[in-house]
Amino acid sequence: MAAPPSWQRHAAAAVVVSVSLLILVVAPSSTTAIGVNYGTKGDNLPPPATVASFLANRTRIDRVKLFDTNPDMVRAFAGTGIALMVTAGNGDIPKLATKDGAAAWVSANVAPYYPKTDISLVLVGNEIMDTGDASLISNLVPAMRALRAALVAAGFRKIRVSTPHSLGILAGASEPPSASRFRDGWDRAVFAPMLAFHRQSRSPFMVNPYPYFGYNGATLPYALARPDNKLGVTDPGTGITYTSMFEAQLDSVYSAMKKLGFDDVEIAVGETGWPTKAMDGQIGVSNADAAEYNRYLIGEAGGGSGTPLMPKRTFETYIFALFNENLKPGPVAERNFGLFYANLTPVYDVGLMKDGVKTGAAPAPAPAPAATVASAPESKAAKKDEVEAAAAPEETDASASTPAPSSVEDEGSSEATGPSPSSEKGDSTDEDKTTEEEGGDAPPPAAAAASGHADESSETVAKDGDAAGGGKTPAPAGAESHGGNLRVPVSSVLTIALSSLALVGI
C-alpha cells in the first residue's frame, strides 16, 4: 500500500498534536489532596467505616487527623490508602516519657493496626504549652523522644512523632514576622531541644494558625488573602508586604525557629479553617467566605510557591474540620467549621469531590445516628468567643490586621490533631541512626516553661491561621471551583482522534 501524500501525513500529525492538547485542556486538572481533622462531637454522624469509605472513594482527601486513638476509627481506615495521624492523650505524657511507658503505648495503640492502617504520624498531646501544666510541659520533649524510640524498636521507623502548637508559643502578637520569637523561658528550655528532635527524626514542627481568630471587619480581605487585598501589612525588618495573614503567621513561626538555628526543620499545619456560621451580624462568616478561605488553603498546601520567607515550600496541612459537630459547646461558630454535613453532603464546594459534585446551601436531613464513636473533646469554643467578638463590623483597628497567636482546641484531654502523609522521610539509614540515638530512656525533663502562658491558651486564639503554604490566592467570595466542569471522557477524545486520522487516510 502506497504511503499517503506528505500533506496527509502533516495533517495527521497536526490532528494528533491538536488532540493531545485537547486532552490536556479538557481533562480535569488534578486537585492537590488535603488533610482534614476528623472530630466526632455530634449525635448524628455516620459510622467510621462509612466515613473512611466516603473519603477514600469520593474525595481527594488523603490524610486524616484524629484527636485520639479510638480503635473503631483507626481500624476503619485500614486499606483505604488514607494516611492517618493519631493522638496520644495529654494525660499519657508523663508515662510516655519513660521507656516502658512509651513501649506499652505503641504496643496498645499502634501495633494492632499498623501497617494495615497507614499511621503516618503520632501526636503527643494537643497544644500542651497552653495548658499551663508544668508536669506536661517538662515531660513533652522526653515523651516525644521516648515514643519515637519505641516506634523504632517495634520496627515502625516510618511513623513520625510531633505535637501541635497554637501560635500562643510566640512572644507578643507574632508581628512583624521577622521579629517573631518563641516566648521567654520556652525558647531554650523546650523549643530548642524539641526542634533538635524534629531535625534528627525528620518530623515536622506542627502549628495551628487560624486567621479567623485574628481578623475584624476591616482586615477580612487580609485574613482571606483576597487577590485584590489592599490592606497588606509591611514588615519593616524585611520590607516584605504581606497580603495573606496565613503566610504572615507561618513566617512568624519560621522566624522564631530561625533564631534558634532550626530554619531547616519542616513546618506542618495541624489545624486551620473558617466557619460558615457565627453570631448574628458577624461580618465575614458565610458559606462563601469559608469556601474562599479553604480554596485558598488548598491551593497553598500544594501550590509550591511557599511564603515570602520560605519560597517554594509546601506544607502538610489539615483543615478543621470534616463535619459540623452539633454537640460542641460554645459559640455557634464552634459547631460550624465542617466541610461536610452529617449526611456526607458538602457544605460548599472547594474541588475536593472526585466526581465534581457541587452542593447547595442547605443541609440535607441527617442520617439516623450510627454506632457511637466517642472521641476526645475537641472543643475550640473559647477561642471562637474571642474571634467572634473581634470580627464585629465596627472594629477597624489596624492592629487587628496582624495575626494573633492561634491556638487550637481546648482539649485539655489527650487529644491532639493531625494525620500526616505516609510518604515520610524517615526511612533512611541516617534517620535510623538518629532515632536510635533518641531511643532508650527519655532524657531528663526539660525545664518548666515560664509562667503566664495559660492566659493565652488555645481557647482564646486557637484558629487564627492555618493552611498549607503555597502561593495561590483564593477565588472571589462565592465563586465555585470549576475543576470538575471541564470533563470530556478520554474515550470520546480518542474516538474523535481516530475519526480524524481516518479522514486523512491513515
Side-chain angles (χ1 to χ4, degrees):
M1 177 177 177
S6 61
W7 71 267
Q8 287 184 322
R9 291 197 298 274
H10 291 311
V15 169
V16 172
V17 171
S18 298
V19 170
S20 298
L21 292 174
L22 180 61
I23 292 175
L24 291 175
V25 171
V26 301
S29 59
S30 60
T31 300
T32 300
I34 194 76
V36 294
N37 286 266
Y38 178 7
T40 57
K41 302 293 287 185
D43 61 6
N44 60 350
L45 302 181
T50 299
V51 174
S53 176
F54 168 74
L55 294 179
N57 297 311
R58 297 285 309 283
T59 78
R60 301 181 191 281
I61 293 167
D62 72 345
R63 286 163 279 165
V64 169
K65 180 174 134 209
L66 303 181
F67 293 96
D68 55 20
T69 55
N70 183 291
D72 291 336
M73 296 175 75
V74 177
R75 276 194 294 264
F77 286 91
T80 60
I82 291 176
L84 197 65
M85 185 182 301
V86 299
T87 301
N90 292 3
D92 293 334
I93 290 176
K95 290 183 180 179
L96 286 176
T98 68
K99 181 177 182 179
D100 291 344
W105 193 93
V106 170
S107 177
N109 296 286
V110 177
Y113 317 109
Y114 185 82
K116 288 185 178 179
T117 296
D118 181 13
I119 299 174
S120 65
L121 194 150
V122 174
L123 295 175
V124 179
N126 185 54
E127 295 188 345
I128 297 303
M129 306 308 294
D130 293 331
T131 66
D133 188 318
S135 175
L136 295 182
I137 292 172
S138 65
N139 280 293
L140 181 56
V141 175
M144 294 169 70
R145 288 173 171 156
L147 184 56
R148 173 60 183 169
L151 289 166
V152 171
F156 309 145
R157 299 178 184 277
K158 287 186 177 182
I159 300 178
R160 300 164 297 163
V161 173
S162 189
T163 185
H165 307 280
S166 76
L167 293 193
I169 61 176
L170 302 177
S174 70
E175 280 281 334
S178 64
S180 182
R181 57 186 175 81
F182 292 116
R183 295 179 65 172
D184 294 338
W186 290 353
D187 50 359
R188 296 292 174 184
V190 178
F191 290 111
M194 182 183 293
L195 289 166
F197 164 78
H198 284 308
R199 175 183 284 166
Q200 292 169 349
S201 62
R202 300 182 184 181
S203 56
F205 183 73
M206 186 170 289
V207 294
N208 298 331
Y210 276 93
Y212 172 70
F213 288 97
Y215 87 102
N216 61 25
T219 60
L220 180 62
Y222 177 50
L224 292 177
R226 287 177 174 163
D228 59 350
N229 171 31
K230 307 297 183 186
L231 298 175
V233 176
T234 300
D235 184 337
T238 60
I240 295 170
T241 296
Y242 286 87
T243 56
S244 161
M245 187 185 293
F246 173 73
E247 290 190 2
Q249 289 174 337
L250 289 182
D251 275 357
S252 292
V253 174
Y254 170 82
S255 292
M257 294 166 64
K258 185 174 182 179
K259 286 180 173 62
L260 293 180
F262 293 97
D263 51 310
D264 58 320
V265 172
E266 175 188 355
I267 295 174
V269 175
E271 286 188 36
T272 194
W274 201 278
T276 53
K277 293 181 182 178
M279 65 183 187
D280 292 342
Q282 182 172 332
I283 289 178
V285 180
S286 67
N287 282 20
D289 294 304
E292 183 175 8
Y293 178 76
N294 283 323
R295 188 177 295 114
Y296 161 76
L297 186 65
I298 292 169
E300 286 292 291
S305 60
T307 67
L309 296 184
M310 295 179 285
K312 299 183 179 179
R313 277 204 199 184
T314 56
F315 303 88
E316 182 178 336
T317 300
Y318 297 82
I319 296 175
F320 188 87
L322 183 56
F323 294 116
N324 284 328
E325 299 171 66
N326 65 359
L327 296 184
K328 289 190 119 181
V332 174
E334 184 66 28
R335 294 176 288 283
N336 290 280
F337 270 78
L339 292 169
F340 297 93
Y341 294 114
N343 66 348
L344 302 179
T345 300
V347 177
Y348 46 80
D349 176 39
V350 288
L352 289 178
M353 301 298 291
K354 286 181 179 177
D355 53 15
V357 171
K358 290 183 173 56
T359 176
T372 60
V373 181
S375 97
E378 302 148 19
S379 106
K380 304 180 175 169
K383 326 164 182 182
K384 292 174 183 154
D385 273 316
E386 291 191 355
V387 175
E388 296 181 346
E394 53 274 8
E395 293 187 53
T396 57
D397 183 1
S399 65
S401 66
T402 61
S406 79
S407 50
V408 186
E409 316 189 330
D410 164 9
E411 301 159 2
S413 66
S414 48
E415 296 121 18
T417 58
S420 49
S422 55
S423 57
E424 306 165 21
K425 304 176 182 177
D427 284 328
S428 71
T429 302
D430 288 340
E431 181 207 12
D432 293 346
K433 291 179 180 178
T434 55
T435 49
E436 293 292 350
E437 294 171 3
E438 297 160 14
D441 293 314
S451 62
H453 54 288
D455 41 326
E456 287 184 359
S457 72
S458 50
E459 309 176 337
T460 61
V461 267
K463 299 175 177 170
D464 50 281
D466 110 4
K472 299 181 181 177
T473 52
E480 293 190 333
S481 168
H482 300 291
N485 292 341
L486 296 175
R487 295 194 173 193
V488 176
V490 173
S491 58
S492 299
V493 176
L494 293 177
T495 299
I496 295 172
L498 293 174
S499 300
S500 300
L501 294 174
L503 290 175
V504 296
I506 296 301

